[in-house]
Amino acid sequence: MGSMEGLKAESNGGAQAMNGGGEMTTTRRGRSSASSALPLEVGTKVMCRWRDQKMHPVKVIERRKVPHGGASDYEYYVHYTEFNRRLDEWVKLEQLDLDTMENDVDEKVDDKATSLKMTRHQKRKIDETHVEPGHEELDAASLREHEEFTKVKNIAKIELGRYEIDTWYFSPFPSEYNDTPKLFFCEFCLSFMKRKEQLQRHMKKCDLKHPPGDEIYRSGTLSMFEVDGKKNKVYGQNLCYLAKLFLDHKTLYYDVDLFLFYVLCECDDRGCHIVGYFSKEKHSEESYNLACILTLPPYQRKGYGKFLISFSYELSKKEGKVGTPERPLSDLGLLSYRGYWTRVLLEILKKHKGNISIKELSDMTAIKTDDILSTLQALDLIQYRKGQHVICADPKVLDRHLKAAGRGGLEVDVSKLIWTPYKDQEDEELRRGQRKSRACRSSARRSQQQ
């Protein structure tokens, strides 16, 4: 049942089940019997009115008593089975159509609910995101454990500067902040408080007007600050707390000493306001030039994500190294990077006269040869002849792929980048800590959830 008509049939009082012969049957549920099932059990599936005022299928993830309510007065935390987990939320009973309630639903019914097609605009709006580490490295048991631990958002909203932002995911804030309806962040030092009055008192004392650290780039109203996690530990940890609210499978590292944070800001006469950031290890034996990346929701779809990716490669060029993002990438992360790699590589191929090798492309772009090969192979622009890879660059084909890749976003003006690669007197000690951190990374993801 993949049609909206099927959903309407259910919402008009029908619940489907499998009969003994394996056929779908519809049973009607009266108001009195539906009401007698209250409070709803965790796992119940029902139709719910969403913010678009339309009914959508949901699954009850958790429930809680309404303060000062009756014995059966509950709110329900629901997952919209059509949408990403970031849209999970607490809803009131009146938003639910109890006539569509299903307790023991056959898997096929669930499959049909989740297979409903959204419009292109809905999907683009809901799935617009940033690059983040995926969950491909988690086995089924670890993934279930992760989802159980993070199934309910502990912070519903945050206030950051002039924006009030709905959060997307659970973030492991200290326990005293759990179930706080809204957190108030200082947009400069990223300290967070429970009440607006606390933030107002803090802002009178906070002397920062930009992220702590060195401003390494300024072009127009855009600035980039390099923040050393070792020198600014609290800021680094607070940035991780903030980022986790919008990144599902990001592992939160309390040991931020090993990382540099590159914080992008929009600047005006009031100060420098955080737009997004990426982090990178100070020393990466795997040639990672980016560990985590986020564009905050109010600034998405403005080209900042592409700018951050491009900036990470400009730093790699300054270091005289090739770079690649830390794996694994989410599906959307891979798409974002594949779009960047496609634009950069095809622009060179379009302008270049004569033959060019994969190694030469890597030297010019700081993109790892494996990433170049996988990108060109995905575009069917490379062949293997006589023991070597040969690039086939027909101008019309290049133009077609460039058009499909879309715009490149904001450009990094390299002449405005004033930066020298990180060096530390305790390099060897830091590398030992880095190796230990990498060895423990998989177990860290699991222990965070316990």
Side-chain angles (χ1 to χ4, degrees):
M1 181 183 61
S3 66
M4 291 304 294
E5 289 78 6
L7 278 180
K8 290 175 182 175
E10 285 191 32
S11 63
N12 286 332
Q16 293 189 326
M18 300 290 290
N19 65 16
E23 298 176 347
M24 298 299 297
T25 62
T26 301
T27 58
R28 295 195 173 274
R29 193 190 300 270
R31 276 288 174 191
S32 58
S33 62
S35 299
S36 66
L38 295 177
L40 299 182
E41 296 292 334
V42 171
T44 299
K45 296 179 181 179
V46 66
M47 301 295 289
C48 179
R49 186 176 67 255
W50 192 47
R51 63 192 68 170
D52 62 0
Q53 301 306 310
K54 296 179 181 178
M55 303 301 288
H56 295 272
V58 301
K59 181 177 180 179
V60 176
I61 303 298
E62 191 57 271
R63 67 185 187 184
R64 66 186 180 192
K65 293 269 296 181
V66 176
H68 312 300
S72 61
D73 290 336
Y74 281 79
E75 292 178 319
Y76 299 93
Y77 193 79
V78 300
H79 167 62
Y80 294 89
T81 56
E82 299 170 293
F83 304 146
N84 186 281
R85 281 206 321 150
R86 74 191 64 162
L87 296 179
D88 294 1
E89 63 180 350
W90 288 101
V91 300
K92 299 184 183 303
L93 181 62
E94 53 263 32
Q95 293 175 248
L96 304 175
D97 183 353
L98 298 183
D99 288 341
T100 64
M101 185 171 60
E102 302 172 6
N103 285 322
D104 297 314
V105 185
D106 188 272
E107 194 67 27
K108 294 180 181 178
V109 179
D110 186 57
D111 288 345
K112 290 177 180 181
T114 56
S115 66
L116 289 169
K117 301 296 182 183
M118 292 177 284
T119 66
R120 186 182 305 172
H121 175 72
Q122 283 177 308
K123 191 168 185 66
R124 185 192 69 193
K125 187 173 182 181
I126 289 167
D127 282 340
E128 168 62 16
T129 188
H130 34 68
V131 179
E132 65 192 48
H135 57 272
E136 292 85 351
E137 68 184 58
L138 298 180
D139 56 31
S142 298
L143 184 57
R144 283 194 298 271
E145 186 181 12
H146 165 84
E147 290 179 345
E148 175 65 23
F149 181 75
T150 65
K151 65 182 181 181
V152 178
K153 280 182 276 194
N154 51 338
I155 309 295
K157 296 176 184 290
I158 63 167
E159 183 175 303
L160 181 69
R162 59 193 178 96
Y163 293 105
E164 181 180 86
I165 310 171
D166 291 331
T167 63
W168 293 354
Y169 302 113
F170 172 92
S171 180
F173 283 88
S175 58
E176 61 266 30
Y177 294 93
N178 281 347
D179 301 319
T180 302
K182 186 161 117 177
L183 278 185
F184 298 86
F185 278 81
C186 170
E187 62 178 328
F188 302 119
C189 73
L190 298 187
S191 296
F192 45 87
M193 303 99 191
K194 290 184 178 181
R195 299 194 307 275
K196 181 80 169 181
E197 299 77 25
Q198 291 175 303
L199 176 65
Q200 290 170 339
R201 288 197 298 270
H202 168 84
M203 295 304 293
K204 292 178 181 178
K205 297 183 291 182
C206 183
D207 55 2
L208 281 180
K209 293 300 178 185
H210 57 75
D214 299 325
E215 185 178 19
I216 62 172
Y217 179 89
R218 177 170 289 206
S219 179
T221 58
L222 281 187
S223 284
M224 184 75 82
F225 290 83
E226 181 184 66
V227 181
D228 188 332
K230 186 174 183 179
K231 296 177 181 177
N232 300 280
K233 185 170 293 190
V234 173
Y235 182 90
Q237 290 176 343
N238 289 347
L239 181 56
C240 289
Y241 282 129
L242 173 64
K244 182 63 187 69
L245 292 169
F246 305 100
L247 300 174
D248 189 8
H249 291 281
K250 171 180 166 54
T251 300
L252 186 65
Y253 295 109
Y254 294 97
D255 186 7
V256 295
D257 293 16
L258 306 176
F259 291 87
L260 295 168
F261 299 89
Y262 294 89
V263 185
L264 180 63
C265 297
E266 284 184 351
C267 301
D268 57 25
D269 54 0
R270 295 186 301 111
C272 298
H273 315 283
I274 180 172
V275 165
Y277 85 103
F278 71 89
S279 60
K280 64 180 290 187
E281 291 180 301
K282 292 176 178 177
H283 301 284
S284 174
E285 294 178 0
E286 293 88 353
S287 301
Y288 293 144
N289 64 355
L290 184 145
C292 184
I293 181 171
L294 170 70
T295 303
L296 290 167
Y299 299 98
Q300 290 180 358
R301 302 198 65 76
K302 297 182 179 181
Y304 288 127
K306 297 171 184 175
F307 180 90
L308 290 168
I309 291 174
S310 180
F311 201 94
S312 71
Y313 278 101
E314 293 302 334
L315 297 187
S316 293
K317 292 176 186 177
K318 287 272 190 179
E319 291 175 304
K321 301 176 181 178
V322 296
T324 190
E326 185 173 322
R327 300 308 200 268
L329 288 172
S330 66
D331 290 344
L332 289 173
L334 179 58
L335 285 174
S336 298
Y337 265 92
R338 186 60 59 77
Y340 171 80
W341 294 329
T342 296
R343 285 186 298 272
V344 170
L345 295 173
L346 297 196
E347 287 289 355
I348 292 175
L349 293 177
K350 189 176 176 181
K351 297 174 183 177
H352 188 79
K353 305 297 182 183
N355 296 329
I356 188 169
S357 68
I358 302 296
K359 177 65 166 59
E360 288 172 325
L361 283 173
S362 181
D363 292 340
M364 294 169 68
T365 62
I367 299 173
K368 202 172 183 179
T369 54
D370 290 347
D371 297 330
I372 294 175
L373 277 172
S374 65
T375 301
L376 296 181
Q377 286 169 344
L379 298 172
D380 201 22
L381 292 178
I382 197 165
Q383 297 179 6
Y384 196 70
R385 298 176 186 170
K386 298 180 180 180
Q388 60 182 356
H389 291 99
V390 178
I391 300 172
C392 307
D394 179 87
K396 291 182 180 178
V397 175
L398 295 181
D399 287 337
R400 186 172 72 248
H401 285 311
L402 276 170
K403 186 176 181 180
R407 294 175 299 171
L410 301 170
E411 291 189 5
V412 178
D413 184 347
V414 184
S415 68
K416 305 292 178 64
L417 174 59
I418 304 173
W419 180 78
T420 54
Y422 174 83
K423 290 183 179 178
D424 191 82
Q425 298 299 319
E426 302 170 352
D427 274 353
E428 186 53 39
E429 179 182 339
L430 200 57
R431 286 193 180 96
R432 285 198 296 269
Q434 204 91 14
R435 285 193 291 270
K436 183 178 179 182
S437 175
R438 281 192 294 271
C440 298
R441 190 156 296 186
S442 294
S443 60
R445 284 184 168 87
R446 290 191 289 272
S447 63
Q448 177 187 320
Q449 300 163 7
Q450 295 173 350

